[in-house]
Amino acid sequence: MTALGPVKYLTIHCAATPEGRHVSAEQITAWDKAKFGQTSYHWVIELDGSMHRTLRDDEKGAHVGGANTGNIGICYVGGMDKAMKAPKDTRTDAQKKSLLTLTRTYRGRYPGIIIRGHRDWPKVNKACPSFDVGAWLKEVGE
């Protein structure tokens, strides 16, 4: 595993799975290993809000093409409507609470960390994480 480097960013992702469908952190990790040859995210948040560490903070993930150095990746299960036709903010209340816990933890651990959604990175043309991270952070007082 490649070293992460100094932490400067935290990027929030969705798994692009249908609303309400349970997918385990282990399954997401297996998909990522099959597609990218490694684990992508540092954390996966399942529907019930359980937080699963999948990489240590000093390990580099594979979650933002060309921008993984110094970048912590958090993925929540969901992000698509039930029919898999459109992106949708499907975060459960439990997932929102866990996501807030993690963002606050990383803000405390790495002052000045920049938190953004996957879609907020330059040259990324996707809806992930299916909600506006900046607006959500303001809404929750972060």
Side-chain angles (χ1 to χ4, degrees), residues 8-10 16 37 40 48 50 56 62 65 73 78 83 87 98 103 136 141:
K8 296 179 183 172
Y9 303 100
L10 185 152
S40 292
D48 65 358
S50 59
R56 296 187 324 260
S98 295
T103 57
W136 173 71

Side-chain angles (χ1 to χ4, degrees), residues 70-99:
N71 193 347
I72 298 291
I74 299 174
C75 177
Y76 76 92
V77 172
M80 293 293 290
D81 66 7
K82 288 183 186 203
M84 289 294 289
K85 301 258 187 233
K88 182 179 178 184
D89 182 1
T90 63
R91 293 173 298 156
T92 65
D93 288 343
Q95 284 175 310
K96 289 177 183 178
K97 184 177 178 185
S98 295
L99 191 55

